[in-house]
Amino acid sequence: MIVLMIDLTHRMALELDNVLSIPKYGRLLDPDGYRVASTLKRGGPTSQDDPTTAPSNSSPVRPVKHKKYSYNTDDEAERGAKSNLDAQDVIGVPLGRDRENAPATSTLSSAEKDEMVAEFVDERDPLASAITADIIELSDMSEDEADEADGQQIVTENGGNGSDGKKSRKQPSIQGGALTKESFYGDDANNPNQYIIDKLKEMLDFYERTKDQWRTIGYRKAILAIKRHSNPILGKQDAIQIPGVGTRLAEKIEEIINTGHLRRLDNLGETAEVIKLFTSIYGVGSSLAMKWISQGLRTLDDVEKHLTRNQKIGLKYFEELNERMPREEVTRISETVQTAARALDPQLQCITMGSYRRLQMGAALIYFTGSDIFNRSMRLLAFRMGMRLNQRGLFADVIYGPDRVRLTEGRLIAQRTEQEIFDDLGVPWRPPHERHC
DNA sequence: AGGCAATACTG
DNA sequence: CAGTAT
DNA sequence: GCCT
């Protein structure tokens, strides 16, 4: 089957097993609506294919050669997968701010699309190809999932509830053994060591913007470890117990405990601020930032004339690229992409990745996680309990007629977390690898 | 002392 | 190739 | 930065 993975985040790549997302850039701020490039092929082994030749439905899909975009699916040829899209295709959807009424593109011929691709590539800023989506071939997805390809795979109804709005906003922690983001990383609000974490985070931010790749990793791991550590850290000895926290950090932690702040941090002063400012320009990293600082540059204006083409775009859209994309907007863009993609191939499974997916509700997680057998048995169980489970949630008080015909929708009783759905079904939560049946 | 993920695009 | 990005 |  073919899966379209939509990645709208500009800062985070998704890496999931063999599936790599294509690094692309946040959002497209082109004001004139959107267009879909259906076969935007990149370089590599497949680029010699005649781009004007639409792949034939009946011909076997050739093995995927470009490892960047997919992994090999040996049995794919035998199964003769039908799709207008190949695994190395990329769908790019430039999106403007005012795109609600953007024109539909589903009826475009492939020649027209290719023309658009050419235009897209030639005339657009590279940064403008904001939204990209990978076509990934997955050979191990179940029939069951394929059967469900009709509906919306992305949960959108409750998307824009603002829970994704702020930078470090977290959902409340949930109890039980569920391996959720919260239980794994800890919960800001309830963590007794949050003030320590905050200080260390500031250090981390600085090193992230400096050159110090390894210190960055050290801090990051330590902070993660402290977040998972639920007891209050009272001193150096406590701290150094935590794997990931060594002598140096333990001392800093003690200083934070005793004095409330870090002298090291206070000393970073202006430099840290300016580095932060400069590296906030998309395409400007620590090296350039430090170089500029050493040349006496301090403001965005100072720096303007030293930028490359891409960096100029980064500066032009400075605000937009540094702003977190509202979840609602992600939802909207996802739908746009999906509509366009399905027009090209109705069979497509579409999944929006990144932080959007991490906050995706439990019902959808269960669904995507599988296995098919597991999902079937969970749904059957729900049915027997007079309920209904699907990728949107668990519904109670569902009325069924003869032959399991469902007469009512029922009322939504659980959807946000896997845990609550399992609970309501009376099934002990189990980790994905134990969901074989 | 040496490793700490892997890979793509840009200029 | 170094820098920047995901 | 931390760990081996």
Side-chain angles (χ1 to χ4, degrees):
Chain A
M1 77 178 301
I2 307 281
V3 176
L4 174 69
M5 312 190 82
I6 304 168
D7 191 358
L8 299 94
T9 176
H10 43 256
R11 310 225 66 154
M12 192 186 293
L14 176 104
E15 297 185 349
L16 187 62
D17 294 341
N18 309 335
V19 178
L20 290 181
S21 73
I22 301 175
K24 269 301 171 183
Y25 319 99
R27 332 155 53 169
L28 184 56
L29 308 150
D30 196 74
D32 66 3
Y34 79 102
R35 302 179 210 173
V36 174
S38 75
T39 53
L40 176 59
K41 297 192 178 181
R42 328 277 282 210
T46 59
S47 59
Q48 75 277 17
D49 297 339
D50 179 2
T52 61
T53 305
S56 157
N57 279 355
S58 54
S59 72
V61 172
R62 47 179 157 37
V64 173
K65 295 165 200 142
H66 200 320
K67 78 171 184 179
K68 176 185 168 191
Y69 296 114
S70 62
Y71 61 100
N72 231 334
T73 56
D74 283 335
D75 59 339
E76 204 65 46
E78 297 168 36
R79 296 200 285 112
K82 297 188 281 291
S83 176
N84 295 323
L85 297 163
D86 284 348
Q88 74 279 11
D89 288 347
V90 177
I91 295 185
V93 183
L95 293 154
R97 312 205 115 190
D98 178 12
R99 69 187 80 86
E100 283 78 4
N101 302 312
T105 56
S106 52
T107 57
L108 291 173
S109 73
S110 65
E112 286 169 324
K113 288 171 201 152
D114 286 324
E115 206 178 313
M116 281 170 35
V117 172
E119 193 184 5
F120 179 89
V121 171
D122 291 346
E123 294 185 358
R124 304 279 159 164
D125 293 322
L127 280 174
S129 53
I131 315 303
T132 63
D134 266 352
I135 308 292
I136 308 286
E137 305 211 15
L138 298 178
S139 56
D140 58 352
M141 274 222 180
S142 66
E143 302 287 348
D144 185 48
E145 283 164 303
D147 289 345
E148 308 232 17
D150 54 341
Q152 285 282 83
Q153 298 303 318
I154 305 296
V155 178
T156 57
E157 284 78 0
N158 293 319
N161 59 12
S163 62
D164 195 19
K166 294 291 182 289
K167 201 168 152 208
S168 60
R169 185 95 166 75
K170 292 271 172 66
Q171 301 289 334
S173 186
I174 66 175
Q175 358 29 19
L179 183 63
T180 64
K181 183 174 163 226
E182 291 75 25
S183 65
F184 190 77
Y185 293 111
D187 181 340
D188 286 12
N190 303 332
N191 196 307
N193 302 307
Q194 190 58 43
Y195 68 108
I196 296 176
I197 293 170
D198 290 341
K199 286 292 174 199
L200 296 182
K201 178 69 167 51
E202 287 182 53
M203 291 291 290
L204 169 63
D205 287 345
F206 174 74
Y207 285 125
E208 244 175 5
R209 296 170 201 294
T210 316
K211 251 203 162 66
D212 215 324
Q213 180 183 177
W214 307 125
R215 230 172 224 106
T216 299
I217 286 176
Y219 270 89
R220 186 167 289 148
K221 285 183 175 169
I223 290 174
L224 260 185
I226 296 171
K227 281 186 178 176
R228 282 194 270 170
H229 183 84
S230 48
N231 302 327
I233 300 167
L234 302 177
K236 194 168 156 183
Q237 301 81 292
D238 288 349
I240 207 158
Q241 295 292 96
I242 302 172
V245 177
T247 323
R248 314 280 300 274
L249 275 178
E251 282 167 3
K252 287 191 175 65
I253 288 171
E254 187 156 72
E255 186 187 341
I256 295 171
I257 293 171
N258 292 336
T259 70
H261 56 90
L262 269 179
R263 283 163 50 216
R264 177 85 176 80
L265 197 55
D266 301 337
N267 292 338
L268 296 179
E270 191 204 9
T271 304
E273 287 306 303
V274 179
I275 288 180
K276 185 171 180 173
L277 176 69
F278 287 168
T279 55
S280 299
I281 302 172
Y282 193 96
V284 175
S286 53
S287 286
L288 234 201
M290 309 250 271
K291 183 178 163 195
W292 283 340
I293 289 176
S294 74
Q295 293 172 355
L297 309 181
R298 291 292 182 276
T299 69
L300 293 183
D301 285 342
D302 291 346
V303 126
E304 206 172 354
K305 46 191 167 297
H306 301 173
L307 300 173
T308 67
R309 201 174 73 100
N310 279 357
Q311 289 161 349
K312 279 180 188 154
I313 297 165
L315 181 59
K316 181 176 175 188
Y317 297 120
F318 185 88
E319 298 297 331
E320 290 87 342
L321 289 172
N322 284 314
E323 165 193 339
R324 202 183 154 103
M325 204 185 308
R327 189 178 175 83
E328 217 167 44
E329 185 173 349
V330 178
T331 302
R332 210 148 27 86
I333 293 171
S334 296
E335 286 170 346
T336 300
V337 173
Q338 287 184 52
T339 303
R342 287 226 184 74
L344 299 169
D345 180 358
Q347 305 282 320
L348 272 186
Q349 300 272 299
C350 301
I351 309 175
T352 299
M353 311 306 292
S355 57
Y356 188 87
R357 183 168 186 243
R358 281 200 304 282
L359 287 182
Q360 217 162 321
M361 55 185 221
L365 282 182
I366 291 174
Y367 168 65
F368 285 126
T369 303
S371 70
D372 58 335
I373 306 295
F374 176 78
N375 284 339
R376 287 176 177 207
S377 55
M378 290 281 279
R379 291 175 183 205
L380 181 61
L381 178 62
F383 168 75
R384 287 180 178 154
M385 296 169 71
M387 300 196 278
R388 170 169 71 111
L389 174 64
N390 61 20
Q391 59 269 41
R392 308 182 124 94
L394 180 65
F395 301 79
D397 303 329
V398 181
I399 301 174
Y400 291 97
D403 296 326
R404 296 185 57 170
V405 176
R406 179 168 54 78
L407 300 177
T408 65
E409 298 272 300
R411 74 192 154 83
L412 183 66
I413 60 167
Q415 68 169 178
R416 198 184 70 76
T417 65
E418 291 191 340
Q419 186 74 51
E420 64 183 6
I421 294 169
F422 276 76
D423 284 350
D424 288 343
L425 288 170
V427 178
W429 186 91
R430 54 175 117 159
H433 68 273
E434 286 173 21
R435 299 183 191 177
H436 30 67
C437 60

